[in-house]
Amino acid sequence: MTKKIPSSILVSIYLALGITGVYLGLEPLFNLVESSIIYQGLIFFFISFLILVVALEWVVFRRLKNLQSVNQREIKKLKDLETYRREFLGEVSHELKTPIFAIQGFIHTLIDGAMNDDRVKVKFLKKAMKNADRLSNLVEDLLIITQAESGEMEMKIRKFPIYDMARDVVDMLEYKFTKKNRNISCKIISKVQEEAMVLADRERIQQVLTNLIDNAVKYGSVDGDVKIILEPKEEKILISVEDTGPGIEKQHLDKIFRRFYRVDKSRSRDKGGTGLGLSICKHLIKMHGEQIYVESEPGKGTRFSFTLKKA
Ligand SMILES: Nc1ncnc2c1ncn2[C@@H]1O[C@H](COP(=O)(O)OP(=O)(O)OP(=O)(O)O)[C@@H](O)[C@H]1O
Ligand SMILES: [Mg+2]
């Protein structure tokens, strides 16, 4: 390993060389060797002083320039953070407004007399409850996003069988959708051994898979099929969720993972969506050092896939 020469030694060497060079250059002009010792000393002192001033200015100038570029970088970072904070606050307030106003509206109508009509009463209370649930989902999702974006999220990386986990998620969601009278079939197609293990945070991956399957069912065709495919990809396992729904148009594909981005705003809100599901998926997969992709063909369907390390 080469040792770095300290800059103070380098500066001294350059100074000595510079002074000697200028002295020797001036010698033929002023015939210094033959002049008095005081005159020689004065010239020598003057040259040294001049070079020292130039060298100092050069050092100070470089330091200032470095400082300036560091400052500019810091200022840009702070400005970006400020923009992020402002945008985030704006989006959050906007998203909170809708369910809060709805709850407020239903309660006011109930107090203003609707409470006396039993049929309307139950209907309005159910609507208020739906919006309160939405509010609670939103706050929960916001907490996850904030934790992930600030890097405060704790990950519990362990090995677990990916097929079993996919099975659990499918069973849970199938139950939820049959309760809603949706005739969806979720198939797991495993091209890896059923006992294949991955190295990841089980709970977080379960959340990613739940979000993706939930989307496939919500936005897919009414009685369509959803496939969960597990396949080997180099040293990893690729997990895909495929639906046969209307697909996503090209212009939305690169924005789909942004927080609060919805292709069809009213449809998503109608289904109780916060628009944070895919953004959370992206963060959680990124925290595993992996990537999530989307491919879609309008009219044919959509496929979301991500990789996980094999254990
Ligand atoms: N499989 C899919 N097919 C078609 N569109 C989809 C699909 N998955 C997601 N989208 C579109 O992407 C948008 C963003 O999805 P995301 O999961 O982030 O939010 P959401 O589903 O609206 O809300 P949440 O996930 O909180 O319930 C959706 O609103 C929908 O328009
Ligand atoms: Mg979703």
Side-chain angles (χ1 to χ4, degrees):
M1 219 169 66
T2 49
K3 256 193 179 168
K4 215 177 156 207
I5 305 170
S7 57
S8 53
I9 296 183
L10 274 180
V11 170
S12 313
I13 294 172
Y14 290 146
L15 273 178
L17 284 175
I19 293 168
T20 319
V22 176
Y23 188 79
L24 288 177
L26 288 177
E27 209 283 327
L29 284 178
F30 298 100
N31 203 7
L32 290 173
V33 179
E34 281 168 24
S35 48
S36 77
I37 193 88
I38 297 174
Y39 184 58
Q40 276 192 45
L42 268 174
I43 295 269
F44 192 79
F45 172 77
F46 182 67
I47 297 165
S48 314
F49 184 71
L50 222 86
I51 291 177
L52 202 69
V53 168
V54 172
L56 271 177
E57 284 223 347
W58 182 70
V59 170
V60 171
F61 175 74
R62 282 214 19 196
R63 286 262 155 94
L64 273 178
K65 230 179 136 188
N66 276 348
L67 215 66
Q68 207 181 6
S69 70
V70 169
N71 277 348
Q72 268 168 355
R73 269 204 305 273
E74 289 295 316
I75 289 171
K76 183 164 183 315
K77 228 165 85 189
L78 283 175
K79 273 188 179 163
D80 287 350
L81 266 174
E82 175 57 23
T83 316
Y84 170 82
R85 198 185 61 89
R86 208 173 333 110
E87 279 177 8
F88 193 61
L89 264 178
E91 288 166 348
V92 170
S93 324
H94 179 77
E95 294 296 328
L96 288 175
K97 222 167 56 186
T98 322
I100 290 176
F101 282 0
I103 296 170
Q104 229 178 3
F106 291 124
I107 293 177
H108 275 295
T109 324
L110 282 167
I111 289 174
D112 288 347
M115 223 158 33
N116 303 323
D117 182 335
D118 279 348
R119 205 176 45 84
V120 175
K121 181 170 79 181
V122 174
K123 194 171 139 196
F124 278 20
L125 277 173
K126 276 189 179 161
K127 286 195 183 222
M129 187 182 74
K130 203 174 147 197
N131 278 283
D133 288 348
R134 204 174 130 195
L135 205 57
S136 138
N137 288 343
L138 185 63
V139 173
E140 230 169 83
D141 284 356
L142 276 172
L143 275 175
I144 300 176
I145 290 264
T146 320
Q147 272 181 353
E149 290 188 352
S150 62
E152 280 168 15
M153 189 177 276
E154 221 181 282
M155 302 284 280
K156 291 185 196 123
I157 306 288
R158 311 238 192 292
K159 58 180 188 178
F160 63 86
I162 185 70
Y163 182 87
D164 280 4
M165 195 215 66
R167 186 77 267 154
D168 287 351
V169 176
V170 168
D171 288 347
M172 185 186 73
L173 286 175
E174 264 181 347
Y175 174 72
K176 178 177 151 191
F177 288 115
T178 25
K179 260 178 71 182
K180 286 190 176 177
N181 292 327
R182 293 280 310 266
N183 183 23
I184 299 272
S185 88
C186 293
K187 257 187 243 139
I188 306 180
I189 301 168
S190 185
K191 297 177 187 169
V192 294
Q193 286 178 328
E194 274 195 17
E195 52 280 359
M197 297 279 206
V198 291
L199 202 57
D201 184 320
R202 187 182 173 124
E203 222 175 285
R204 310 281 182 208
I205 297 302
Q206 188 159 328
Q207 189 172 5
V208 172
L209 210 54
T210 309
N211 278 341
L212 295 181
I213 302 174
D214 185 55
N215 278 354
V217 174
K218 267 199 310 194
Y219 307 110
S221 55
V222 182
D223 290 329
D225 280 340
V226 175
K227 283 188 202 139
I228 296 102
I229 307 161
L230 312 175
E231 54 192 318
K233 192 187 178 199
E234 289 150 22
E235 289 305 293
K236 299 181 178 180
I237 292 184
L238 183 76
I239 299 127
S240 313
V241 177
E242 229 179 70
D243 66 62
T244 48
I248 303 165
E249 295 207 5
K250 215 171 161 202
Q251 74 262 31
H252 299 292
L253 282 182
D254 57 334
K255 303 183 199 124
I256 203 101
F257 291 102
R258 288 187 197 161
R259 51 173 200 253
F260 300 120
Y261 192 85
R262 299 154 171 126
V263 176
D264 182 346
K265 286 191 176 50
S266 56
R267 190 157 175 232
S268 158
R269 286 217 180 93
D270 210 36
K271 289 172 186 285
T274 62
L276 289 173
L278 286 177
S279 171
I280 291 178
C281 290
K282 191 176 179 181
H283 278 301
L284 295 182
I285 296 297
K286 203 170 140 200
M287 289 183 76
H288 282 82
E290 300 293 328
Q291 277 185 317
I292 182 161
Y293 322 86
V294 56
E295 298 151 77
S296 187
E297 213 177 310
K300 293 212 166 148
T302 308
R303 178 185 167 119
F304 282 93
S305 28
F306 60 94
T307 46
L308 284 183
K309 289 178 194 76
K310 257 192 220 165

